[in-house]
Amino acid sequence: SLPLLSLSLSSLSLHSPSPFSRSSPSPLSLPFLSLLSTHPLLSPSPLPLPLTSLPLLSLSTLPLLSLSPLPSPSPLSLPFLSLLSTPIDFGTTSSGYAFSFTQDPEAIHMMRRWEGGDPGVANQKSPTSLLLTPELKFHSFGFAARDNYHDLDPEEAQHWLYFDKFKMKIHSTTDLTMETELEAVSGRKVRAIEVFSHALRFFRVHALKEVKDQSSSLLEGDEVRWVITVPAVWRQPAKQFMREAAYLAGLVSPDTPEQLLIALEPEAASIYCRKLRLHQVIDLSLRPMTNGLSLESDGSRPFDSSFRQAREQLRKARHSRTFLVERGTGELWSEMQTGDRYIVADCGGGTVDLTVHQIEQPQGTLKELYKVSGGPYGAVGVDLAFEAMLCKIFGEDFIESFKAKRPAAWVDLTIAFEARKRTATPGRSNALNISLPFSFIDFYKRYRGQSVETALRKSNMNIVKWSSQGMLRLTPEAMNELFQPTINNIIKHIEELMQRQEVQGVRFLFLVGGFAESPMLQRAAQNALGQTCRIIIPQDVGLTILKGAVLFGLDPTVVRVRRCPLTYGVGVLNRFVEGRHPRDKLLVKEGRDWCTDILDRFVSVDQSVALGEVVRRSYTPARSGQRKIIINIYCSVSDDVVYISDPGVRKCGAITLDLPEALPGTVAGAERREIRATMQFGDTEIKVTAVDMATNQTVRAAIDFLSN
């Protein structure tokens, strides 16, 4: 019943005699408390406290508060709080959400199972499919979108907008903006930000309704900390895009950006893997290599009976969707020494992300050892290989025409392949049958004037046969041909990463993500890497990221050190030095020689940056009365750059500082007005704040990567 005290970030000042502003917002208006970091190694900056350790303060104690660290009560000793960590795992092929109440942070509640779906597939997540009406209104998401689109008349379907696996567009678009468009299966286009916001709004409504059903108290929107997962290889524009989509969807308000966290998918998986007990993992090195590896059978070591294990068995009951996690770190980590390293390979539908972590004892925080890497080597690559095979057999012109004229039937064909793809195993001796929709067979006969069977015979593809029952028969050789290019890319990337000096001595490789369920990938990983390290697959591997994102929402400080993926900086003028600077960079201004285009580096690629560590720069308005400063940001994948005009350096964003009108008598001239900008690079997003040093007032500062 005690009120939770919230403090505005802007009310904290290093120079103010009192650390707290008297004009703090209403105590119940914001659920998060931020204090200045008192870590001796870090520059002071606002850090979000873990939700599990938020102190409950009554208003009467306000005068007694100081900036010394507050003791963190045990999570279980906190009185009931109706605060939530609610992540949305927005995947390429499937998506879902989970949540955890802060008064019981060890219990992760998974979303309700979805209605519909494919026989034999556990519907713990929903397909990332969206259906819009011809008027561009939201109709349905997930299985419902898929089924409704399937039931439309072929002519009618051409006017509806069905989107599938659309997340990949954000990764592949180099010039992502708010105006970037997505193309529906029918060929119609709509702004990508609207498609993503429709999907996020759907999850918001569903998640809050489910939480309301489970919680006795009335939950307000501002009592939820939302977390959206993104691939770690995504650059800043894509992360900002997801944030803007969340604002548009009403998850949070742009005025309270701290209520939304962007979580990196392999990081989330790594956070959850710290909690694993031995009976919750499958160790490929302990398994007999037969016809693939079933995630259902229990190949763990004998484990002593305990109360926790009894609770775990309860969790496995058919109707239970609550997972229990360790309060500290799990048994798996007892085998690791301080300084041991491990790799998390997030093998998803669209991308594969690799992160290298070191666990820091005794606090259990994580340190990133090498910048995140990866690429578009997800399971979608197998789907694209299947489409290429169909083009080879039936002709690319026919496939494109069929997709345009019979879009719903094309979706049916891809669903049929997806179901068979999941059953592919390395030791399989018999063919896999894939049903061709009748409309495919009929359309081909009209289009080419010959049968599908004739086309197969003429194609000379001996690895694909025709069944008289109207099915394509893919031999084991054909399935291998579809899987191998994608799997080879994944293995090659992991092997190259392991060659690096910073990654030497890795003990564990965790395979997570939906594609990690594939026995084809498991066998390839064990054969190629099994002698180098132990390969571990968590049970419910497809939900690992979702569970980790819940834990990240409860404590965003768990990853203490990250590596910068790029070199960032701004262009500045420096004194021209003859012989050192090229003549074409010479600028003579007011009788002085200046060198233009020099990169003032904020951070370098692969530099270690601790959470809360900041970069400060001061800027002065060029003229009196100036109300806005815009500073272009440049980036490069290399550290070996001197000028913003060097090869590989590109403009990637801009910092905007909105200057308040100077108070009379405080500034004699524009040249004396100092605006100090503070940037954070150690979080999952780059953040900026600014202060007018003359008045100590906060300056409205924004960093934009989408308006290029």
Side-chain angles (χ1 to χ4, degrees), residues 326-624:
E326 291 292 304
R327 186 180 302 186
T329 52
E331 292 166 306
L332 199 57
W333 300 107
S334 64
E335 301 181 29
M336 297 184 78
Q337 307 295 318
T338 299
D340 276 354
R341 300 146 183 224
Y342 64 94
I343 294 175
V344 175
D346 171 24
C347 308
T351 56
V352 168
D353 281 345
L354 304 178
T355 191
V356 188
H357 277 163
Q358 196 171 45
I359 193 162
E360 299 177 311
Q361 300 289 13
Q363 64 272 38
T365 51
L366 299 173
K367 178 180 180 182
E368 191 173 49
L369 296 181
Y370 185 70
K371 64 174 183 171
V372 138
S373 59
Y377 317 131
V380 168
V382 183
D383 303 341
L384 295 175
F386 176 63
E387 186 177 331
M389 181 182 279
L390 292 178
C391 289
K392 203 170 172 183
I393 296 170
F394 302 108
E396 190 173 344
D397 58 330
F398 164 73
I399 294 297
E400 290 305 315
S401 179
F402 180 69
K403 284 162 73 173
K405 297 285 176 60
R406 299 286 186 272
W410 172 254
V411 170
D412 284 349
L413 179 54
T414 60
I415 291 168
F417 175 70
E418 176 71 27
R420 304 310 289 154
K421 180 177 79 174
R422 290 170 182 269
T423 64
T425 54
R428 190 183 181 100
S429 56
N430 55 327
L432 279 171
N433 289 336
I434 296 170
S435 297
L436 281 181
F438 172 76
S439 59
F440 184 99
I441 299 167
D442 181 59
F443 195 82
Y444 185 77
K445 192 157 191 175
R446 294 185 191 189
Y447 190 89
R448 288 269 194 257
Q450 64 181 32
S451 70
V452 166
E453 188 177 359
T454 305
L456 267 169
R457 202 165 48 245
K458 286 184 176 177
S459 72
N460 293 322
M461 287 196 72
N462 297 324
I463 56 175
V464 183
K465 310 289 185 187
W466 175 248
S467 158
S468 57
Q469 296 171 322
M471 294 184 180
L472 284 181
R473 289 179 59 77
L474 269 61
T475 62
E477 293 79 16
M479 290 306 287
N480 271 328
E481 201 169 288
L482 297 180
F483 273 88
Q484 280 317 308
T486 299
I487 288 177
N488 289 345
N489 273 328
I490 296 171
I491 301 300
K492 181 184 172 194
H493 206 88
I494 296 173
E495 287 177 332
E496 287 175 355
L497 179 65
M498 285 182 161
Q499 298 302 315
R500 298 200 165 267
Q501 184 63 39
E502 304 92 326
V503 191
Q504 296 294 307
V506 162
R507 288 198 57 195
F508 292 96
L509 167 64
F510 289 93
L511 290 182
V512 302
F515 198 21
E517 295 175 354
S518 167
M520 304 284 277
L521 177 58
Q522 292 174 12
R523 166 67 69 87
Q526 182 60 21
N527 287 347
L529 308 163
Q531 301 301 312
T532 313
C533 60
R534 281 174 64 185
I535 301 174
I536 306 288
I537 302 176
Q539 288 180 350
D540 289 326
V541 63
L543 302 177
T544 304
I545 290 159
L546 200 44
K547 296 175 190 174
V550 173
L551 301 176
F552 178 73
L554 293 170
D555 182 5
T557 65
V558 63
V559 181
R560 195 185 61 81
V561 179
R562 291 183 174 90
R563 296 282 184 138
C564 290
L566 297 170
T567 295
Y568 287 101
V570 296
V572 296
L573 296 177
N574 271 5
R575 287 290 174 86
F576 188 87
V577 178
E578 195 69 50
R580 194 174 89 186
H581 296 138
R583 297 292 299 176
D584 63 339
K585 299 290 183 189
L586 174 63
L587 172 71
V588 180
K589 188 178 179 184
E590 297 174 354
R592 290 184 178 177
D593 290 354
W594 299 93
C595 180
T596 64
D597 293 346
I598 288 181
L599 181 75
D600 173 25
R601 192 168 312 200
F602 293 156
V603 288
S604 299
V605 66
D606 205 33
Q607 176 183 331
S608 281
V609 185
L611 190 66
E613 200 173 316
V614 299
V615 176
R616 287 198 175 89
R617 293 289 187 274
S618 290
Y619 299 101
T620 301
R623 62 185 184 278
S624 180

Side-chain angles (χ1 to χ4, degrees), residues 277-336:
R277 296 174 74 92
L278 294 178
H279 69 285
Q280 293 174 313
V281 301
I282 290 142
D283 189 339
L284 295 192
S285 57
L286 300 178
R287 298 229 139 179
M289 297 300 289
T290 53
N291 286 352
L293 303 161
S294 165
L295 287 179
E296 298 302 317
S297 57
D298 184 15
S300 60
R301 302 172 189 177
F303 186 68
D304 62 319
S305 163
S306 67
F307 179 63
R308 283 294 295 211
Q309 196 175 16
R311 292 171 77 191
E312 178 66 12
Q313 294 305 319
L314 179 66
R315 193 276 299 167
K316 289 179 178 176
R318 217 178 95 206
H319 299 293
S320 174
R321 291 171 298 106
T322 300
F323 292 82
L324 301 168
V325 294
E326 291 292 304
R327 186 180 302 186
T329 52
E331 292 166 306
L332 199 57
W333 300 107
S334 64
E335 301 181 29
M336 297 184 78

Side-chain angles (χ1 to χ4, degrees), residues 635-657:
C635 68
S636 169
V637 295
S638 167
D639 188 30
D640 187 23
V641 289
V642 179
Y643 305 102
I644 61 173
S645 55
D646 284 352
V649 180
R650 60 185 176 86
K651 177 176 173 283
C652 62
I655 296 172
T656 303
L657 306 174

Side-chain angles (χ1 to χ4, degrees), residues 95-99 109-127 141-144 202-203 206-207 210 213-214 296 314-323 422 517 539-540 542-543 546-547:
S95 300
Y97 63 86
F99 55 91
H109 305 276
M110 305 305 296
M111 62 193 178
R112 293 190 181 106
R113 291 186 178 273
W114 298 89
E115 294 178 7
D118 310 314
V121 178
N123 305 320
Q124 289 169 311
K125 293 211 278 189
S126 170
F141 184 87
F143 291 113
F202 169 84
F203 279 116
H206 265 252
E210 187 167 345
D213 292 345
Q214 291 208 22
E296 298 302 317
L314 179 66
R315 193 276 299 167
K316 289 179 178 176
R318 217 178 95 206
H319 299 293
S320 174
R321 291 171 298 106
T322 300
F323 292 82
R422 290 170 182 269
E517 295 175 354
Q539 288 180 350
D540 289 326
L543 302 177
L546 200 44
K547 296 175 190 174

